[in-house]
Every structure is written in structure tokens, then in C-alpha cells.
């Protein structure tokens, strides 16, 4: 805990201990929050052979065919899995969760029409949306993606309050001195303010962000853990 050992994290850092009792770490107790670094919207994409063009169409189809639509993810607790569980719970529908060993094989099978839909990071799906191999129905954030300006948010499409995205951030081992934490966070603030860097990431659908304080990021992480624990109980999510 001296500032030379840091960990870059994403959503699964906060979610794994909820799903796996013997995960071996506590995301809040064993680490000191430093700062957010990025926020990445998810996009709900479907194979073009599925007869839907909007989020409302998809929900209507899923209600007509309960438990028949297949949704691909990178595994239990992954961003795509959690997003579709949140979506299904809020929309009152049921779909079949198909787990893959990573995003790449999931997207390959989606493009190939072997599964019907997926919540994917914009960065991964954008090329397939552009060339027409996938159809984008909605983005998961409260504002539209800069690289998909014509794709409405899922909230715009009728699911009030829906929000889900992939965050990235930095944590340090518990006990790292506060002056060191502050110094690293200040470096993040300077880095994400570099125009060239911001533009390069934004062109891929990634928004660079920095927390106003380490306490703000700590509160953010706590909320992530608490909200996911509630969702996991509501939907019965578990690692197979």
C-alpha cells in the first residue's frame, strides 16, 4: 500500500463477491478507491433476421414468445448478462441466457445468427452495426452515444429510468496513505482532460471521466455493490 501497486477495475470487480461467496476479496474493505477513469455505454444489438426494429418491438416479441429469445453474454455476472437481466426484469419478460467464454465468441455467434441478441459495449459492436451485420435498438445510458447519435436510449424507448454501463476505475490496496491516493487521483484528472486523449477514446464510444474525490468514487462503488446485490436477488442470478 504505497501507491506503486494499483488495480484497474470494471463492473465485475464489484459484482463477483455478490455471486461467488468465496471470491477471496471484499471490494469495499480490501481496497481504497482512487477514481473513475471511463464510462462505456452498452448497446442492445440483435441479429438482423430477428423481426424487430425498436426496443418496444423486442419487448412485444418476447412477451409473445416467453422464454424463447436467446441472449448472449460473456458469462454469469458479466456486463452483458447483468444488463439483459436488468432489462428483462424491468420489462417483465423472460429470455434464455447463453454464456460464452468472452465477448468475441458471443459476438461471432450473434453475427452468425446462432443467438438473437446481446447487450454489448459500443466499442465491440460498432463495426458490425456500421456494416449492417447487427441492428442497434438502443443504448443503455441516459444520453445517446456520440458514435451512435441516431440510436435512442432505452429510457427514451419506454423503460423509464433504465441505465447500465461499463465503468473503469482505479483502486489501491487498503491502507494506502491519503496523500498518495490524492496524488494518483489528481494525475487521473489531468490525464482525462487531455483533448487528444479524450477525442481518441470518444471516437470509440468511450467517455473519459475522473471522480471529484476518492470519497465520491468510494460511494459510487458502494452503490454498485448494493444495487447489484438487490438485482441478483430479484433475478436469481448465480454462477453456474
Amino acid at each position: 500500500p504505497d501507491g506503486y501497486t494499483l488495480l484497474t477495475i470494471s463492473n465485475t470487480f464489484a459484482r463477483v463477491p455478490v455471486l461467488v461467496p468465496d471470491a477471496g476479496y471484499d471490494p469495499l474493505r480490501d481496497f481504497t478507491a482512487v477514481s473513475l477513469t471511463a464510462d462505456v455505454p452498452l448497446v442492445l444489438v440483435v441479429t438482423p433476421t430477428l423481426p424487430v426494429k425498436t426496443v418496444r418491438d423486442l419487448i412485444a416479441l418476447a412477451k409473445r414468445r416467453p422464454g424463447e429469445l436467446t441472449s448472449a453474454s460473456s458469462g454469469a455476472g458479466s456486463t452483458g448478462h447483468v444488463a439483459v437481466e436488468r432489462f428483462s426484469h424491468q420489462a417483465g419478460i423472460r429470455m434464455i441466457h447463453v454464456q460464452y467464454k468472452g465477448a468475441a465468441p458471443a459476438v461471432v455467434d450473434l453475427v452468425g445468427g446462432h443467438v438473437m441478441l446481446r447487450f454489448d459495449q459500443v466499442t465491440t459492436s460498432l463495426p458490425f452495426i456500421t456494416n449492417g451485420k447487427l441492428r442497434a435498438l438502443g443504448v443503455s445510458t441516459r444520453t445517446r452515444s456520440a458514435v451512435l447519435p441516431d440510436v435512442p436510449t432505452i429510457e427514451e424507448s419506454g423503460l423509464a429510468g433504465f441505465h447500465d454501463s461499463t465503468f473503469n476505475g482505479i483502486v489501491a490496496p487498503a491502507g494506502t496513505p491519503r496523500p498518495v491516493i490524492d496524488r494518483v487521483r489528481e494525475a487521473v484528472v489531468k490525464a482525462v482532460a487531455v483533448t487528444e486523449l479524450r477525442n481518441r477514446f470518444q471516437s470509440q464510444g468511450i467517455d473519459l471521466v475522473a471522480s471529484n474525490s476518492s470519497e465520491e468514487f468510494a460511494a459510487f462503488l458502494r452503490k454498485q455493490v448494493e444495487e447489484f446485490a438487490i438485482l441478483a436477488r430479484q433475478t436469481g442470478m448465480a454462477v453456474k
Side-chain angles (χ1 to χ4, degrees), residues 171-204:
V171 295
T176 301
R178 178 57 186 263
V180 174
I181 295 295
D182 289 344
R183 183 177 176 185
V184 176
R185 190 195 65 80
E186 289 163 5
V188 172
V189 172
K190 291 179 181 178
V192 302
V194 175
T195 301
E196 180 185 359
L197 195 65
R198 293 181 69 87
N199 291 343
R200 186 184 304 172
F201 276 84
Q202 195 169 60
S203 69
Q204 301 177 55

mmCIF file of all heavy atoms in Angstrom, residues 171-204:
data_model
loop_
_atom_site.group_PDB
_atom_site.id
_atom_site.type_symbol
_atom_site.label_atom_id
_atom_site.label_comp_id
_atom_site.label_asym_id
_atom_site.label_seq_id
_atom_site.Cartn_x
_atom_site.Cartn_y
_atom_site.Cartn_z
ATOM 1 N N VAL A 171 -8.256 1.466 -8.149
ATOM 2 C CA VAL A 171 -8.242 1.312 -6.695
ATOM 3 C C VAL A 171 -6.831 0.950 -6.260
ATOM 4 O O VAL A 171 -6.010 0.518 -7.069
ATOM 5 C CB VAL A 171 -9.234 0.230 -6.213
ATOM 6 C CG1 VAL A 171 -10.667 0.632 -6.516
ATOM 7 C CG2 VAL A 171 -8.914 -1.124 -6.818
ATOM 8 N N ALA A 172 -6.580 1.127 -4.971
ATOM 9 C CA ALA A 172 -5.287 0.796 -4.382
ATOM 10 C C ALA A 172 -5.525 -0.138 -3.200
ATOM 11 O O ALA A 172 -6.649 -0.249 -2.697
ATOM 12 C CB ALA A 172 -4.580 2.065 -3.918
ATOM 13 N N PRO A 173 -4.492 -0.821 -2.733
ATOM 14 C CA PRO A 173 -4.679 -1.678 -1.560
ATOM 15 C C PRO A 173 -5.141 -0.869 -0.349
ATOM 16 O O PRO A 173 -4.783 0.309 -0.195
ATOM 17 C CB PRO A 173 -3.270 -2.247 -1.313
ATOM 18 C CG PRO A 173 -2.581 -2.149 -2.636
ATOM 19 C CD PRO A 173 -3.112 -0.904 -3.261
ATOM 20 N N ALA A 174 -5.940 -1.483 0.502
ATOM 21 C CA ALA A 174 -6.376 -0.814 1.729
ATOM 22 C C ALA A 174 -5.153 -0.386 2.532
ATOM 23 O O ALA A 174 -4.151 -1.102 2.588
ATOM 24 C CB ALA A 174 -7.235 -1.772 2.557
ATOM 25 N N GLY A 175 -5.229 0.792 3.107
ATOM 26 C CA GLY A 175 -4.103 1.294 3.909
ATOM 27 C C GLY A 175 -3.143 2.180 3.149
ATOM 28 O O GLY A 175 -2.192 2.711 3.736
ATOM 29 N N THR A 176 -3.364 2.372 1.863
ATOM 30 C CA THR A 176 -2.513 3.296 1.105
ATOM 31 C C THR A 176 -2.727 4.701 1.654
ATOM 32 O O THR A 176 -3.852 5.150 1.820
ATOM 33 C CB THR A 176 -2.877 3.255 -0.394
ATOM 34 O OG1 THR A 176 -2.707 1.921 -0.895
ATOM 35 C CG2 THR A 176 -1.996 4.203 -1.198
ATOM 36 N N PRO A 177 -1.657 5.424 1.963
ATOM 37 C CA PRO A 177 -1.792 6.754 2.589
ATOM 38 C C PRO A 177 -2.622 7.716 1.750
ATOM 39 O O PRO A 177 -2.547 7.714 0.516
ATOM 40 C CB PRO A 177 -0.342 7.237 2.705
ATOM 41 C CG PRO A 177 0.470 5.982 2.707
ATOM 42 C CD PRO A 177 -0.254 5.026 1.809
ATOM 43 N N ARG A 178 -3.391 8.559 2.418
ATOM 44 C CA ARG A 178 -4.264 9.505 1.738
ATOM 45 C C ARG A 178 -3.508 10.436 0.785
ATOM 46 O O ARG A 178 -3.977 10.685 -0.337
ATOM 47 C CB ARG A 178 -5.051 10.318 2.770
ATOM 48 C CG ARG A 178 -5.962 11.389 2.180
ATOM 49 C CD ARG A 178 -6.958 10.770 1.178
ATOM 50 N NE ARG A 178 -7.738 11.787 0.491
ATOM 51 C CZ ARG A 178 -8.957 12.150 0.856
ATOM 52 N NH1 ARG A 178 -9.535 11.579 1.914
ATOM 53 N NH2 ARG A 178 -9.617 13.069 0.186
ATOM 54 N N PRO A 179 -2.339 10.988 1.152
ATOM 55 C CA PRO A 179 -1.633 11.853 0.206
ATOM 56 C C PRO A 179 -1.289 11.138 -1.102
ATOM 57 O O PRO A 179 -1.292 11.750 -2.176
ATOM 58 C CB PRO A 179 -0.366 12.253 0.969
ATOM 59 C CG PRO A 179 -0.747 12.143 2.416
ATOM 60 C CD PRO A 179 -1.661 10.955 2.471
ATOM 61 N N VAL A 180 -0.994 9.847 -1.014
ATOM 62 C CA VAL A 180 -0.681 9.073 -2.216
ATOM 63 C C VAL A 180 -1.931 8.896 -3.068
ATOM 64 O O VAL A 180 -1.888 9.054 -4.292
ATOM 65 C CB VAL A 180 -0.080 7.701 -1.827
ATOM 66 C CG1 VAL A 180 0.120 6.833 -3.068
ATOM 67 C CG2 VAL A 180 1.229 7.880 -1.084
ATOM 68 N N ILE A 181 -3.055 8.575 -2.417
ATOM 69 C CA ILE A 181 -4.326 8.424 -3.129
ATOM 70 C C ILE A 181 -4.671 9.724 -3.852
ATOM 71 O O ILE A 181 -5.066 9.718 -5.031
ATOM 72 C CB ILE A 181 -5.462 8.052 -2.159
ATOM 73 C CG1 ILE A 181 -5.213 6.667 -1.549
ATOM 74 C CG2 ILE A 181 -6.822 8.100 -2.855
ATOM 75 C CD1 ILE A 181 -5.242 5.536 -2.529
ATOM 76 N N ASP A 182 -4.522 10.842 -3.158
ATOM 77 C CA ASP A 182 -4.839 12.146 -3.757
ATOM 78 C C ASP A 182 -3.946 12.438 -4.957
ATOM 79 O O ASP A 182 -4.406 12.969 -5.971
ATOM 80 C CB ASP A 182 -4.677 13.259 -2.713
ATOM 81 C CG ASP A 182 -5.778 13.224 -1.658
ATOM 82 O OD1 ASP A 182 -6.805 12.566 -1.903
ATOM 83 O OD2 ASP A 182 -5.596 13.857 -0.594
ATOM 84 N N ARG A 183 -2.679 12.074 -4.848
ATOM 85 C CA ARG A 183 -1.742 12.348 -5.937
ATOM 86 C C ARG A 183 -2.110 11.543 -7.189
ATOM 87 O O ARG A 183 -2.067 12.073 -8.313
ATOM 88 C CB ARG A 183 -0.317 12.010 -5.495
ATOM 89 C CG ARG A 183 0.746 12.336 -6.524
ATOM 90 C CD ARG A 183 2.133 12.042 -6.007
ATOM 91 N NE ARG A 183 3.138 12.278 -7.032
ATOM 92 C CZ ARG A 183 4.433 12.013 -6.882
ATOM 93 N NH1 ARG A 183 4.864 11.528 -5.726
ATOM 94 N NH2 ARG A 183 5.276 12.242 -7.856
ATOM 95 N N VAL A 184 -2.475 10.289 -6.991
ATOM 96 C CA VAL A 184 -2.854 9.454 -8.138
ATOM 97 C C VAL A 184 -4.151 9.966 -8.753
ATOM 98 O O VAL A 184 -4.277 10.053 -9.993
ATOM 99 C CB VAL A 184 -3.001 7.979 -7.710
ATOM 100 C CG1 VAL A 184 -3.489 7.134 -8.893
ATOM 101 C CG2 VAL A 184 -1.673 7.435 -7.199
ATOM 102 N N ARG A 185 -5.112 10.328 -7.922
ATOM 103 C CA ARG A 185 -6.390 10.837 -8.462
ATOM 104 C C ARG A 185 -6.164 12.116 -9.248
ATOM 105 O O ARG A 185 -6.761 12.317 -10.320
ATOM 106 C CB ARG A 185 -7.390 11.090 -7.327
ATOM 107 C CG ARG A 185 -8.815 11.374 -7.837
ATOM 108 C CD ARG A 185 -9.685 11.959 -6.756
ATOM 109 N NE ARG A 185 -9.219 13.269 -6.343
ATOM 110 C CZ ARG A 185 -9.465 14.401 -6.997
ATOM 111 N NH1 ARG A 185 -10.197 14.385 -8.108
ATOM 112 N NH2 ARG A 185 -8.982 15.550 -6.565
ATOM 113 N N GLU A 186 -5.316 12.995 -8.747
ATOM 114 C CA GLU A 186 -5.016 14.240 -9.454
ATOM 115 C C GLU A 186 -4.372 13.960 -10.815
ATOM 116 O O GLU A 186 -4.620 14.669 -11.800
ATOM 117 C CB GLU A 186 -4.115 15.126 -8.603
ATOM 118 C CG GLU A 186 -4.843 15.731 -7.394
ATOM 119 C CD GLU A 186 -3.892 16.272 -6.336
ATOM 120 O OE1 GLU A 186 -2.662 16.260 -6.591
ATOM 121 O OE2 GLU A 186 -4.370 16.675 -5.253
ATOM 122 N N ALA A 187 -3.576 12.901 -10.885
ATOM 123 C CA ALA A 187 -2.965 12.513 -12.161
ATOM 124 C C ALA A 187 -4.035 12.039 -13.140
ATOM 125 O O ALA A 187 -3.963 12.317 -14.344
ATOM 126 C CB ALA A 187 -1.924 11.422 -11.935
ATOM 127 N N VAL A 188 -5.050 11.326 -12.628
ATOM 128 C CA VAL A 188 -6.155 10.884 -13.475
ATOM 129 C C VAL A 188 -6.901 12.094 -14.028
ATOM 130 O O VAL A 188 -7.228 12.152 -15.213
ATOM 131 C CB VAL A 188 -7.121 9.966 -12.696
ATOM 132 C CG1 VAL A 188 -8.368 9.665 -13.530
ATOM 133 C CG2 VAL A 188 -6.421 8.674 -12.296
ATOM 134 N N VAL A 189 -7.173 13.066 -13.165
ATOM 135 C CA VAL A 189 -7.876 14.286 -13.578
ATOM 136 C C VAL A 189 -7.133 14.965 -14.729
ATOM 137 O O VAL A 189 -7.734 15.378 -15.734
ATOM 138 C CB VAL A 189 -8.037 15.259 -12.394
ATOM 139 C CG1 VAL A 189 -8.586 16.608 -12.860
ATOM 140 C CG2 VAL A 189 -8.956 14.667 -11.326
ATOM 141 N N LYS A 190 -5.811 15.067 -14.606
ATOM 142 C CA LYS A 190 -5.013 15.700 -15.653
ATOM 143 C C LYS A 190 -5.038 14.881 -16.940
ATOM 144 O O LYS A 190 -5.136 15.421 -18.042
ATOM 145 C CB LYS A 190 -3.572 15.885 -15.167
ATOM 146 C CG LYS A 190 -3.416 16.922 -14.072
ATOM 147 C CD LYS A 190 -1.963 17.022 -13.620
ATOM 148 C CE LYS A 190 -1.804 18.050 -12.499
ATOM 149 N NZ LYS A 190 -0.393 18.120 -12.008
ATOM 150 N N ALA A 191 -4.960 13.574 -16.796
ATOM 151 C CA ALA A 191 -4.897 12.702 -17.975
ATOM 152 C C ALA A 191 -6.184 12.764 -18.786
ATOM 153 O O ALA A 191 -6.152 12.887 -20.017
ATOM 154 C CB ALA A 191 -4.611 11.267 -17.551
ATOM 155 N N VAL A 192 -7.336 12.654 -18.114
ATOM 156 C CA VAL A 192 -8.601 12.613 -18.860
ATOM 157 C C VAL A 192 -8.972 13.976 -19.434
ATOM 158 O O VAL A 192 -9.901 14.070 -20.245
ATOM 159 C CB VAL A 192 -9.758 12.076 -17.985
ATOM 160 C CG1 VAL A 192 -9.428 10.683 -17.451
ATOM 161 C CG2 VAL A 192 -10.105 13.024 -16.851
ATOM 162 N N ALA A 193 -8.250 15.014 -19.033
ATOM 163 C CA ALA A 193 -8.509 16.351 -19.567
ATOM 164 C C ALA A 193 -7.736 16.625 -20.852
ATOM 165 O O ALA A 193 -7.953 17.655 -21.501
ATOM 166 C CB ALA A 193 -8.157 17.411 -18.518
ATOM 167 N N VAL A 194 -6.829 15.725 -21.235
ATOM 168 C CA VAL A 194 -6.041 15.908 -22.452
ATOM 169 C C VAL A 194 -6.956 15.733 -23.663
ATOM 170 O O VAL A 194 -7.527 14.665 -23.876
ATOM 171 C CB VAL A 194 -4.879 14.891 -22.515
ATOM 172 C CG1 VAL A 194 -4.130 15.016 -23.842
ATOM 173 C CG2 VAL A 194 -3.932 15.103 -21.340
ATOM 174 N N THR A 195 -7.102 16.787 -24.448
ATOM 175 C CA THR A 195 -8.063 16.800 -25.554
ATOM 176 C C THR A 195 -7.830 15.668 -26.540
ATOM 177 O O THR A 195 -8.773 14.972 -26.949
ATOM 178 C CB THR A 195 -8.003 18.146 -26.294
ATOM 179 O OG1 THR A 195 -8.301 19.195 -25.363
ATOM 180 C CG2 THR A 195 -9.015 18.181 -27.426
ATOM 181 N N GLU A 196 -6.585 15.451 -26.941
ATOM 182 C CA GLU A 196 -6.279 14.404 -27.915
ATOM 183 C C GLU A 196 -6.702 13.033 -27.387
ATOM 184 O O GLU A 196 -7.266 12.207 -28.121
ATOM 185 C CB GLU A 196 -4.780 14.400 -28.228
ATOM 186 C CG GLU A 196 -4.388 13.334 -29.246
ATOM 187 C CD GLU A 196 -2.883 13.254 -29.464
ATOM 188 O OE1 GLU A 196 -2.141 14.037 -28.839
ATOM 189 O OE2 GLU A 196 -2.466 12.393 -30.256
ATOM 190 N N LEU A 197 -6.445 12.804 -26.104
ATOM 191 C CA LEU A 197 -6.793 11.529 -25.489
ATOM 192 C C LEU A 197 -8.307 11.356 -25.421
ATOM 193 O O LEU A 197 -8.844 10.294 -25.774
ATOM 194 C CB LEU A 197 -6.190 11.452 -24.080
ATOM 195 C CG LEU A 197 -6.137 10.075 -23.415
ATOM 196 C CD1 LEU A 197 -5.200 9.147 -24.179
ATOM 197 C CD2 LEU A 197 -5.674 10.202 -21.971
ATOM 198 N N ARG A 198 -9.001 12.399 -24.990
ATOM 199 C CA ARG A 198 -10.460 12.347 -24.893
ATOM 200 C C ARG A 198 -11.082 12.067 -26.257
ATOM 201 O O ARG A 198 -11.984 11.232 -26.381
ATOM 202 C CB ARG A 198 -11.017 13.661 -24.336
ATOM 203 C CG ARG A 198 -10.647 13.938 -22.894
ATOM 204 C CD ARG A 198 -11.268 15.245 -22.416
ATOM 205 N NE ARG A 198 -12.716 15.111 -22.305
ATOM 206 C CZ ARG A 198 -13.333 14.655 -21.230
ATOM 207 N NH1 ARG A 198 -12.642 14.268 -20.174
ATOM 208 N NH2 ARG A 198 -14.644 14.568 -21.189
ATOM 209 N N ASN A 199 -10.599 12.751 -27.275
ATOM 210 C CA ASN A 199 -11.149 12.575 -28.619
ATOM 211 C C ASN A 199 -10.895 11.173 -29.153
ATOM 212 O O ASN A 199 -11.744 10.579 -29.815
ATOM 213 C CB ASN A 199 -10.572 13.612 -29.576
ATOM 214 C CG ASN A 199 -11.048 15.019 -29.271
ATOM 215 O OD1 ASN A 199 -12.029 15.210 -28.556
ATOM 216 N ND2 ASN A 199 -10.356 16.016 -29.789
ATOM 217 N N ARG A 200 -9.707 10.642 -28.862
ATOM 218 C CA ARG A 200 -9.357 9.314 -29.354
ATOM 219 C C ARG A 200 -10.281 8.256 -28.749
ATOM 220 O O ARG A 200 -10.758 7.360 -29.438
ATOM 221 C CB ARG A 200 -7.899 8.988 -29.013
ATOM 222 C CG ARG A 200 -7.403 7.677 -29.619
ATOM 223 C CD ARG A 200 -6.003 7.351 -29.186
ATOM 224 N NE ARG A 200 -5.069 8.421 -29.486
ATOM 225 C CZ ARG A 200 -3.801 8.428 -29.059
ATOM 226 N NH1 ARG A 200 -3.359 7.455 -28.300
ATOM 227 N NH2 ARG A 200 -3.004 9.426 -29.380
ATOM 228 N N PHE A 201 -10.541 8.377 -27.456
ATOM 229 C CA PHE A 201 -11.419 7.414 -26.796
ATOM 230 C C PHE A 201 -12.874 7.620 -27.201
ATOM 231 O O PHE A 201 -13.615 6.660 -27.398
ATOM 232 C CB PHE A 201 -11.265 7.502 -25.278
ATOM 233 C CG PHE A 201 -10.112 6.695 -24.746
ATOM 234 C CD1 PHE A 201 -8.828 7.205 -24.741
ATOM 235 C CD2 PHE A 201 -10.308 5.409 -24.257
ATOM 236 C CE1 PHE A 201 -7.762 6.468 -24.263
ATOM 237 C CE2 PHE A 201 -9.254 4.657 -23.777
ATOM 238 C CZ PHE A 201 -7.969 5.177 -23.785
ATOM 239 N N GLN A 202 -13.284 8.887 -27.319
ATOM 240 C CA GLN A 202 -14.682 9.159 -27.663
ATOM 241 C C GLN A 202 -15.030 8.647 -29.054
ATOM 242 O O GLN A 202 -16.172 8.244 -29.307
ATOM 243 C CB GLN A 202 -14.973 10.658 -27.559
ATOM 244 C CG GLN A 202 -16.464 10.970 -27.551
ATOM 245 C CD GLN A 202 -16.746 12.406 -27.179
ATOM 246 O OE1 GLN A 202 -16.295 13.325 -27.862
ATOM 247 N NE2 GLN A 202 -17.493 12.607 -26.096
ATOM 248 N N SER A 203 -14.052 8.620 -29.942
ATOM 249 C CA SER A 203 -14.295 8.101 -31.289
ATOM 250 C C SER A 203 -14.622 6.615 -31.265
ATOM 251 O O SER A 203 -15.154 6.069 -32.226
ATOM 252 C CB SER A 203 -13.074 8.346 -32.187
ATOM 253 O OG SER A 203 -11.978 7.541 -31.784
ATOM 254 N N GLN A 204 -14.303 5.951 -30.150
ATOM 255 C CA GLN A 204 -14.617 4.532 -29.971
ATOM 256 C C GLN A 204 -15.819 4.328 -29.052
ATOM 257 O O GLN A 204 -16.138 3.206 -28.673
ATOM 258 C CB GLN A 204 -13.411 3.798 -29.390
ATOM 259 C CG GLN A 204 -12.156 3.889 -30.247
ATOM 260 C CD GLN A 204 -10.978 3.212 -29.580
ATOM 261 O OE1 GLN A 204 -11.032 2.044 -29.219
ATOM 262 N NE2 GLN A 204 -9.910 3.956 -29.372
#
